[in-house]
Amino acid sequence: MIVAIDGPAGAGKSSVARALSARLRFRYLDTGAMYRALTWLALRQGIALDDVTSLEELARENPIEFDEGEGVTIAGHDVTARIREPVIDSSVPIVARHPEVREVMRERQRALGEQGDSVIEGRDIGVVVAPHAELKIWLVADPRVRAERRHAERDGITVDMTADDMRRRDERDAGNTHRAEDAIEVDTTSLSLEQVIDRIERLVRERVA
């Protein structure tokens, strides 16, 4: 079974997907981490981030792996911590915007999803990556709440600056953030993480039944 989780940044996709997969004992696939891993490898090898041909080849030759927890590996390197560094934050949007790279990554995401029960989160999961997912969730939240959540993960930046950054990101990512027609919307604005997980777990149990 595949549970696809989509939505804008700050809506809670990663936290929800991580906790849900742990509760259900499903594989957790963080598609954003895959682009980050590829970006890390490109920077390490000195590949220009606008060199689409080289990036596409790099992605095909170095499929990203996930361990049983949340570890991320590429080209034999455990990059779980490294892909969260500021240089990756600023560089990954450049890599992820290339359609050729996205197609290679989506092929890998589909292959990983076919290996067993999975919770897959990211952008365009329910529309492009896993259109046949048994359950599709579209997470949303009030823009201010989204900014406050993201602010809590960062140091040295105000909530207003975070809100502006997220607004620009929403505009930039609009082309890769589509809601599947059969997705169920869950507004996380006033819900705790536990409440969100409870709600989605009930939906999973209904599908299984």
Side-chain angles (χ1 to χ4, degrees):
M1 179 178 189
I2 291 179
V3 179
I5 298 182
D6 286 282
K13 296 190 302 295
S14 296
S15 297
V16 169
R18 186 180 297 111
L20 179 66
S21 62
R23 182 181 292 189
L24 298 176
R25 297 186 178 180
F26 282 17
R27 175 194 293 268
Y28 167 48
L29 298 182
D30 177 356
T31 61
M34 297 175 71
Y35 288 99
R36 285 174 171 271
L38 179 63
T39 300
W40 177 86
L41 188 59
L43 291 173
R44 187 175 191 272
Q45 296 192 4
I47 295 175
L49 301 186
D50 59 355
D51 185 345
V52 180
T53 300
S54 294
L55 288 172
E56 180 182 2
E57 182 177 348
L58 190 69
R60 288 195 182 282
E61 294 180 351
N62 299 278
I64 288 86
E65 300 285 351
F66 291 91
D67 64 20
E68 292 301 319
E70 298 177 23
V72 184
T73 303
I74 187 170
H77 299 280
D78 182 345
V79 295
T80 309
R82 299 174 187 178
I83 61 175
R84 303 301 172 184
E85 295 173 353
V87 65
I88 304 300
D89 290 342
S90 60
S91 301
V92 69
I94 304 173
V95 173
R97 74 187 181 195
H98 303 307
E100 298 86 350
V101 173
R102 297 192 71 84
E103 184 52 39
V104 175
M105 301 300 269
R106 285 165 174 166
E107 290 174 7
R108 180 58 179 160
Q109 291 157 15
R110 295 185 188 105
L112 290 171
E114 292 172 357
Q115 293 180 4
D117 295 331
S118 305
V119 177
I120 309 178
E121 64 98 348
R123 296 181 184 277
D124 272 1
I125 304 303
V127 175
V128 179
V129 176
H132 302 301
E134 288 82 352
L135 178 61
K136 301 174 185 178
I137 300 296
W138 179 260
L139 294 182
V140 298
D142 179 84
R144 185 69 180 182
V145 172
R146 290 170 52 207
E148 290 173 348
R149 289 171 178 168
R150 186 52 54 89
H151 170 259
E153 301 171 355
R154 300 179 175 181
D155 294 322
I157 184 171
T158 67
V159 173
D160 288 338
M161 292 172 63
T162 303
D164 288 340
D165 178 61
M166 294 184 70
R167 176 181 53 76
R168 289 191 295 270
R169 179 175 176 179
D170 285 345
E171 294 172 352
R172 184 185 67 227
D173 294 342
N176 297 311
T177 308
H178 300 103
R179 174 178 175 174
E181 292 183 359
D182 54 344
I184 297 174
E185 181 174 300
V186 177
D187 189 333
T188 68
T189 301
S190 58
L191 297 177
S192 67
L193 176 60
E194 194 72 13
Q195 290 173 320
V196 175
I197 300 306
D198 287 345
R199 183 170 299 185
I200 299 177
E201 183 184 15
R202 285 195 296 271
L203 294 171
V204 171
R205 302 302 180 195
E206 290 174 4
R207 294 293 192 279
V208 172

